Structures are given as C-alpha cells and as structure tokens.
Amino acid sequence: MAKESQNRLKHFAALKSRYQATQYQDSSPASLLYLILRKVDIGIELLDLEFNWLQEHELFETLEIIWLQQFRMGESKRLEDEFSHLKAKYKVAKNWESSVSSVLYPILWKLESENSLTDSEVKLLQDNNLTQIVTIAQDIKYFAQLKEKYQATKYQDSHPDSQLYRILKKLDTEAILNDNEYEWLLNNELFEAIEIFEKRESARQAKVTQLKSKYQASQHPDTSLSSQLYQILQKLDADKKLIYSEIYWLEQQGLTETIAIAEELERKREFIALKAKYKVSQYEDLSSANYLYEILKKLDSEFHLNEQDINFLRQSQLLETIEIANDKYAFVLKPKIVSLIVLSDLEIDWLRNNKYEDIIILAQHKHFAALKRKYGLVDPLLPLEPFYAIMIKLEKKERLDPKFVFQLMEEGLLSNDEKIALAYYKLEAEFYEQEL
C-alpha cells in the first residue's frame, strides 16, 4: 500500500506539471484535481462541474491545455466531416470514395481557401476523371475576374452557385437585369456594380432613340430595351435580314417606312452578293434602282441578257461579267441539244457570234442524227455534208437545186426510193402547183 501511495503522489505531481497546475497546493491524490487530470490524460471527456471547479480554483492554464487536448481528440471526426462537406460542395461523385489521406482533400481545401489551382493540380483532377471540379475551379476564377471588373470584390462568397455570379455573368453579356436581380444588388450594397449597369442601360436607352430615328420608327411609343421593336432595329443595324414574322409585326404596327428601309437594305445586300458573284466589285453604286442591279438579277435567274443589257455591260467595261453571262447562256443551250431540241437560227447565230463553235458542232451532229432517223438514212458513215444541208432545207421547205440532187443520184449517194428523195419530189410538186 505504501508503494502504491508513493506512485500516486508521483503520478499526481507529474500530471500537475504536465497540465501546468503546480500552483495548486493540495498534493493529496484524494484531491478532485487528481481525478480531473487522470481523466484528461486518458482521453475521457470532462463534465461541466469539473470545468467549473477548475475555473473556481483559477487553474486557467490547465483549462487551456485541456480544451486544446479535447479539441484535438475530435479532430479526426472534424476532418472527415469537413472533407465530406467539401466533396459535396464541389460535386464529387458519391461513388468516388476517398479518405482524409487522399490527395483530393488538400486540393479541395486549397480551392476553398485560395480559389485557385496550379496546372499540375488541374491535370491531377483530369487524370482522375474529376473534370467537374476543374469546371468549378474555372468558374471560380471567372467569378473573381467578374467581381474585379464590376467592382464587387467586397462580396465574400466566391462559389459559382452564388446569386452574384449569375448576375455578373448577365451583366457581362449585356443582358438586362430583372427587378429581383437589381434588388439583390441593392440589398447587398453593391452600388458600384449598380452604377455600371445603370450607365450601360442609359447608353442603350439612347441607342433605342437613335435607332428609332434612323429607321423612321420614332412614332412608335415603346422605348423598352426588351421590346420587339428594339430587337428588330438592332437586327437592321447589324445588317441582318428580317424574317417574315418580324416584317409582319412591323406591318401590324403601321411602320411602313421602317419596312421600306429594311427592304432597301435587303436589296443592297443582294446587290453586293451579285456583284461579287459576277465580278463587278469595282462598280460602287449600290442603289437598287441601278440598271446593273436589274441585269445581275436577270442573269442570276437564268434569263438571257438582251442586246441592251450587253451594251450596258460593255460600256461599263464589265467584260468579265459579259463572259460569265455568255457562259451561263451557253450552258443553258447545251441541255436543249442533248434533249434533241432543235436550236433556232437566232440561237445558232448567237453561238457563232460568241465563238461557241463546239456547241454548234454538237448541235449539228445531234440534229443530223435525228434527221437521219427521220429520213431513213441508216449508214453510220454517212457524211454530214451535203446531206445535213439537204435535210435542213427540206425541213424548212426550201427548194433544192435539181442538178445537185440528180448528181447525188448519179454518184449513187441517193436513190429514188429513199425518204429524202421522196420528200424532195413531194416538195417540188408543191412548188410546181404554186407556180401554176
């Protein structure tokens, strides 16, 4: 018993020294202090009455050590709770299990405290398929830039879920804030951001007035930045084509002058496109009343240009345009030939005058083949001349030289019973009857 008593005395003295309670005079192991220090030393949580007792005996340094020690005892649980909170906040998938020893914990902690990550940390997240955290990190960075830009840095929350982030993104895209968003900025005393927004809205309001004047819509009462009118006028000012519903809306509002301007702008856009397409970019007059505009529209609609059109192009030194027009018309004639449609004399003359001899030859051979079938000339080696000329005259009911026909018969190139000879005799009979 004496030995145990001695050990208790030594133990109590050691505990008093460890927990800085040596000023307490009572050294008896029967003291409540000995019980308190023994409980603390093996990690048993103290009761309120024990804390109160230490305060009553002014053992404040002892209390400080005990509080820190008991706080440390709960660290493991707090670390796990904090990590769980961060994983939830930064949307880490639930199936991505990890302990507090995971490299993810310090990365999330850093993101939470410093709002930025290094390139190597970003790569580590990407390599582990944690791209949603990378996206949030990018949003946090952008949020910080927006707060700087719109003078809202005094707002502490840096997480992308913040209402401020949504508002600042709208401001940055020049979208109009609604009443609730404006009220939110007021309530949070973000007056600098409000001032930037109001200056911008004032400028846009002036822009509405200017656009209404420019496009002759001043009589319309609506001045709202979200109005249909403003959207249409912005579109006109950006040189964009209005759709049918927008034109119809202008008609319903009686804005006929605005419609006329829109139509003129559309004609100018078309004129510019036609000029580029038909190599007339050096021609500066963009008036839709310009004769060139009508010519180019006609050309684009596959209509053949008349002599007056060609002369205008020639006088305007638009030789490339003439060449394009000729090529387009020649391209139109070719399918007619392939479809066995006989070209008119005017079309043949046009091809000859514009040096499209290859198309003339194609037309002649196609027509010759058709006439051979009509007149029963089956010889594949039959020469084009003189038979093509003969059959053309027969088709036109023009008189043939009898000497020439009989010469062909004598040479064995034509016989009395062939269709071509019969057609000749029939035509000669008709001419004879007319002469009687």
Side-chain angles (χ1 to χ4, degrees):
M1 287 294 291
K3 183 66 174 171
E4 184 177 345
S5 180
Q6 285 295 320
N7 287 339
R8 283 176 173 269
L9 285 170
K10 289 178 182 179
H11 186 216
F12 188 16
L15 290 174
K16 285 169 70 176
S17 175
R18 184 181 303 162
Y19 292 99
Q20 298 184 27
T22 53
Q23 74 270 33
Y24 187 70
Q25 297 302 315
D26 188 353
S27 298
S28 169
S31 166
L32 180 58
L33 179 60
Y34 184 41
L35 173 64
I36 292 172
L37 297 182
R38 285 167 66 198
K39 288 175 68 175
V40 168
D41 207 46
I42 62 172
I44 297 175
E45 193 171 345
L46 297 186
L47 302 170
D48 287 344
L49 68 87
E50 292 167 322
F51 277 114
N52 293 337
W53 187 90
L54 291 170
Q55 286 178 328
E56 288 168 5
H57 290 80
E58 300 182 354
L59 294 170
F60 301 118
E61 290 182 353
T62 306
L63 274 169
E64 184 94 14
I65 294 169
I66 292 171
W67 281 330
L68 285 173
Q69 185 167 314
Q70 296 210 330
F71 179 80
R72 189 166 55 248
M73 287 165 53
E75 271 295 85
S76 178
K77 179 67 168 62
R78 278 192 294 275
L79 285 171
E80 289 178 1
D81 290 345
E82 288 168 1
F83 191 21
S84 294
H85 169 72
L86 289 173
K87 286 194 292 183
K89 183 174 182 178
Y90 291 100
K91 298 179 172 56
V92 178
K94 289 183 179 179
N95 60 355
W96 208 92
E97 293 298 334
S98 55
S99 68
V100 292
S101 61
S102 164
V103 70
L104 180 60
Y105 195 1
I107 288 178
L108 293 182
W109 187 278
K110 183 181 177 185
L111 186 57
E112 178 78 357
S113 59
E114 299 179 17
N115 300 329
S116 63
L117 298 177
T118 64
D119 291 343
S120 61
E121 289 163 342
V122 169
K123 186 175 185 309
L124 184 63
L125 291 170
Q126 291 171 333
D127 290 344
N128 284 277
N129 295 319
L130 292 166
T131 51
Q132 74 280 5
I133 302 176
V134 176
T135 301
I136 293 172
Q138 291 168 342
D139 280 338
I140 289 173
K141 184 177 180 180
Y142 181 41
F143 189 10
Q145 293 169 348
L146 290 177
K147 287 205 288 186
E148 189 73 30
K149 181 176 180 179
Y150 293 100
Q151 301 176 37
T153 51
K154 65 183 179 182
Y155 189 77
Q156 296 302 310
D157 190 355
S158 60
H159 197 273
D161 285 342
S162 165
Q163 171 77 340
L164 179 59
Y165 185 43
R166 290 189 286 273
I167 291 173
L168 294 185
K169 281 198 295 184
K170 282 188 73 172
L171 280 178
D172 211 46
T173 57
E174 299 198 358
I176 300 169
L177 301 185
N178 59 42
D179 291 343
N180 290 336
E181 291 163 336
Y182 187 88
E183 188 76 22
W184 191 93
L185 291 175
L186 276 176
N187 292 338
N188 286 274
E189 299 182 357
L190 296 170
F191 303 119
E192 294 85 354
I194 290 172
E195 185 178 355
I196 292 170
F197 168 69
E198 287 179 341
K199 282 182 179 178
R200 183 182 292 169
E201 294 310 287
S202 177
R204 283 205 284 199
Q205 198 65 58
K207 180 69 173 176
V208 175
T209 303
Q210 183 259 331
L211 289 178
K212 286 174 69 176
S213 174
K214 181 177 180 179
Y215 295 102
Q216 299 186 30
S218 298
Q219 72 270 31
H220 197 278
D222 199 341
T223 58
S224 168
L225 295 170
S226 58
S227 70
Q228 174 82 339
L229 177 61
Y230 183 48
Q231 307 307 314
I232 290 174
L233 296 184
Q234 275 188 310
K235 200 169 177 181
L236 283 177
D237 212 47
D239 201 23
K240 294 180 180 177
K241 183 177 181 178
L242 299 187
I243 60 176
Y244 171 77
S245 61
E246 291 167 331
I247 295 290
Y248 180 75
W249 187 89
L250 291 172
E251 287 176 348
Q252 295 297 105
Q253 307 302 311
L255 296 170
T256 54
E257 291 172 313
T258 308
I259 294 171
I261 293 171
E263 289 172 345
E264 178 62 22
L265 289 173
E266 177 57 24
R267 284 191 289 269
K268 282 185 178 180
R269 281 191 293 274
E270 183 186 25
F271 196 2
I272 290 169
L274 289 172
K275 282 173 61 183
K277 184 175 181 179
Y278 295 108
K279 313 284 188 183
V280 289
S281 53
Q282 76 273 27
Y283 200 90
E284 295 182 359
D285 187 354
L286 284 178
S287 168
S288 60
N290 192 305
Y291 182 39
L292 177 61
Y293 176 52
E294 297 303 321
I295 291 175
L296 297 183
K297 281 211 303 180
K298 184 191 292 188
L299 181 55
D300 205 53
S301 301
E302 307 295 342
F303 284 104
H304 179 44
L305 301 188
N306 58 37
E307 195 60 32
Q308 181 183 351
D309 300 331
I310 296 296
N311 285 338
F312 178 88
L313 294 175
R314 191 174 288 114
Q315 289 166 8
S316 301
Q317 297 297 307
L318 299 174
L319 304 182
E320 277 189 281
T321 310
I322 294 173
E323 187 176 337
I324 293 170
N326 287 345
D327 284 344
K328 281 177 72 71
Y329 185 53
F331 184 77
V332 169
L333 293 179
K334 256 189 175 182
K336 290 177 67 174
I337 296 168
V338 173
S339 300
L340 301 180
I341 298 173
V342 179
L343 298 186
S344 68
D345 290 343
L346 285 175
E347 289 169 332
I348 292 293
D349 288 343
W350 184 89
L351 289 169
R352 185 172 290 109
N353 292 336
N354 288 283
K355 298 181 173 54
Y356 288 96
E357 298 297 335
D358 58 325
I359 299 178
I360 293 174
I361 292 169
L362 174 66
Q364 288 175 339
H365 279 87
K366 287 286 184 181
H367 193 201
F368 183 41
L371 291 175
K372 283 200 300 178
R373 287 192 294 274
K374 179 176 179 179
Y375 289 100
L377 302 173
V378 295
D379 184 359
L381 300 177
L382 191 71
L384 184 75
E385 296 299 341
F387 292 99
Y388 181 56
I390 291 172
M391 288 185 287
I392 286 291
K393 282 201 168 194
L394 290 174
E395 289 294 298
K396 294 180 179 180
K397 296 192 178 297
E398 294 179 0
R399 197 163 198 172
L400 296 173
D401 183 351
K403 292 181 181 179
F404 180 59
V405 173
F406 292 134
Q407 182 183 343
L408 290 175
M409 289 179 177
E410 288 173 1
E411 293 174 359
L413 297 174
L414 192 65
S415 62
N416 276 321
D417 59 349
E418 286 180 341
K419 287 183 181 179
I420 193 169
L422 296 175
Y424 164 70
Y425 292 138
K426 181 180 179 183
L427 188 59
E428 280 296 306
E430 289 174 0
F431 281 124
Y432 179 73
E433 286 179 5
Q434 290 172 6
E435 290 171 355
L436 288 178

